[in-house]
Amino acid sequence: MDSELPLLSDAQLPFHPFDPHPLDDDKLREECGIFGVVGVTDAANFVALGLHALQHRGQEAGGIVVHDAEQGFNSARRFGYVRDNFTSETLMKTLPGPIGIGHVRYSTAGSKGQTAIRDVQPFFGEFAMGGAAIAHNGNITNADLLRRELIERGSIFQSSSDSECIIHLMARSLQRNIPERMEDALRRVEGAFSVVAMTRTKLIGVRDPLGVRPLVLGKLGDGWVLSSETCALDIIGAEFIREIEPGEMVVATEGNPVESHFPFRRQKSRFCIFEHVYFSRPDSILGGRSVYETREAIGRELAKENPVEADLVCPVPDSGTPAAIGFSLESGIPYAMGIIRNQYMGRTFIEPTEQIRNMGVRLKLNVNRALIKGKRVILVDDSVVRGTTSRKIKEMILDAGAKEVHFRIASPPTAWPCFYGVDTPQREKLLAATMTEDEMRDHLAVDSLKFISLNGLYRAVGEATGRDPKQPQYCDACFSGEYPVKPADMINKGFELKPAAE
């Protein structure tokens, strides 16, 4: 297996110098993407391509584990982008075999500010019946409790990641084979999880009973593929078969039909609604719907709910683009690229000094001055988290001579942290947790600020009657404060849930 690499301090963390500092970002970040394939020649190459397509789900680090009949299990874990590591012929030659899984990471649980290579997934374990590796997307909400129990019973942890609990629970299980041990382990786990795992011959996929995080199944020749999103199937030419259902476990082997069963008590799905708003790539399919078309529908709904007289509709690139197009189509106000994103600054272009970090947004985005001057501009963005980036963009637009600036946000106010696999600031740092909509408008110093309503968002994702308050169709805890799984560890640390409605 791969050797350990050194600990990186916060200042050494690999990140794009023109992104905001990774520990002070103004966007919610999905923390990881998972991918696996069985029944292909040189599986690692397919895994690397799949991870490249899922890079938007985690840019901090990536890892691949493979198995070959002659060489056994091998792995590689690296900091930085997939393209900077897993395109090396020398490295890829160390990863032979017809089965492999991979993971791209942005930490939500585990070390913060100091990142160790041992926290990078997939995690591997040797069991009595052979080795197994797992890659996990989501967050275990009772990980502290499980970790304490496991350590007291003799488990020795190698990482600070909540996901490692699954491997230790599998090791302690008395079940006969790896899939059964995984079932046993996951029954102890609370929270959100989509897991891709592998043995020497089997590719395994599992979603938690609520189906909070995504996982899809694809076919490639005689082989099978598991992925966080359909866009990663496209890149390797795999056929999209279906989504793994909430609470389902699938086991795939080369040349055989996929085995499926449901080890958990069936529950009503609570898929993360923010996957539709921001996390997933616009060329992916979620719940049978094009993510792009859903975001365009969000923009249309936003225009219906919050009209305003203006000259231009401009997206905050790139995540606000489909919603801005929908807003323009519904309102009849012309769409324009008022802000241009610099797509081509490489990681090593310039050292990310404090001075460069302070320039931040201006180096990543530039205003199309000739277009903006003298205009009343509607800026469409996917969310407002801390509001720091929104203020800087507004200043740039006004500096370019805009007459008015109106913000329209393609999600409801983010007022609560996510504990299911998304990196969210503490609640007091969320703008919407401490301010009303009018107070946020004044804080950002814009002419108007309006968010799509929660019901409007539900209508845009295909729920014609809106949100069912008694049994919501999605997980929307970051907007509503209603957590479908109690965040036990955070409650033990003093986090206060929203009081139950009278």
Side-chain angles (χ1 to χ4, degrees), residues 282-300:
D283 51 335
S284 284
I285 305 292
L286 287 179
R289 294 170 59 89
S290 154
V291 174
Y292 178 91
E293 289 176 2
T294 295
R295 288 178 188 165
E296 187 182 292
I298 291 171
R300 287 179 180 273

Side-chain angles (χ1 to χ4, degrees), residues 202-412:
K202 292 180 171 67
L203 182 67
I204 306 164
V206 196
R207 281 181 83 189
D208 69 77
L210 295 176
V212 177
R213 305 255 72 88
L215 189 63
V216 300
L217 175 69
K219 188 90 171 71
L220 186 62
D222 288 332
W224 297 96
V225 189
L226 289 167
S227 174
S228 290
E229 292 183 42
T230 61
C231 63
L233 303 181
D234 298 336
I235 200 173
I236 64 168
E239 177 192 359
F240 170 52
I241 301 298
R242 63 179 179 87
E243 295 184 4
I244 305 304
E245 292 185 42
E248 182 182 16
M249 172 181 273
V250 294
V251 180
T253 52
E254 181 178 1
N256 296 309
V258 169
E259 300 169 22
S260 164
H261 66 290
F262 291 82
F264 313 107
R265 181 174 60 84
R266 289 283 193 120
Q267 298 183 48
K268 194 173 185 298
S269 171
R270 294 290 296 274
F271 184 62
C272 170
I273 202 165
F274 215 78
E275 290 278 356
H276 286 288
V277 174
Y278 175 67
F279 296 139
S280 294
R281 251 175 55 166
D283 51 335
S284 284
I285 305 292
L286 287 179
R289 294 170 59 89
S290 154
V291 174
Y292 178 91
E293 289 176 2
T294 295
R295 288 178 188 165
E296 187 182 292
I298 291 171
R300 287 179 180 273
E301 194 68 37
L302 188 56
K304 288 177 194 172
E305 290 186 347
N306 301 295
V308 62
E309 289 188 10
D311 303 305
L312 295 175
V313 177
C314 299
V316 175
D318 291 315
S319 53
T321 300
I325 291 169
F327 195 105
S328 171
L329 290 170
E330 183 64 34
S331 65
I333 300 169
Y335 170 89
M337 295 295 289
I339 303 171
I340 307 300
R341 185 185 184 95
N342 189 341
Q343 306 279 13
Y344 302 107
M345 291 298 182
R347 279 173 175 264
T348 56
F349 175 73
I350 195 166
E351 284 298 310
T353 61
E354 196 61 37
Q355 182 182 7
I356 293 297
R357 284 175 185 157
N358 289 338
M359 295 173 79
V361 174
R362 288 182 181 271
L363 288 166
K364 188 167 65 171
L365 304 172
N366 192 39
V367 176
N368 193 343
R369 287 176 173 268
L371 202 65
I372 292 296
K373 190 172 182 181
K375 300 291 199 314
R376 299 168 296 173
V377 179
I378 300 168
L379 289 177
V380 179
D381 203 356
D382 58 85
S383 59
V384 172
V385 181
R386 292 184 182 89
T388 49
T389 301
S390 300
R391 287 191 75 166
K392 289 172 184 173
I393 290 171
K394 177 268 304 183
E395 288 163 8
M396 289 165 60
I397 294 286
L398 288 176
D399 287 348
K403 190 190 289 187
E404 296 175 7
V405 179
H406 302 272
F407 262 110
R408 291 296 179 268
I409 310 301
S411 62

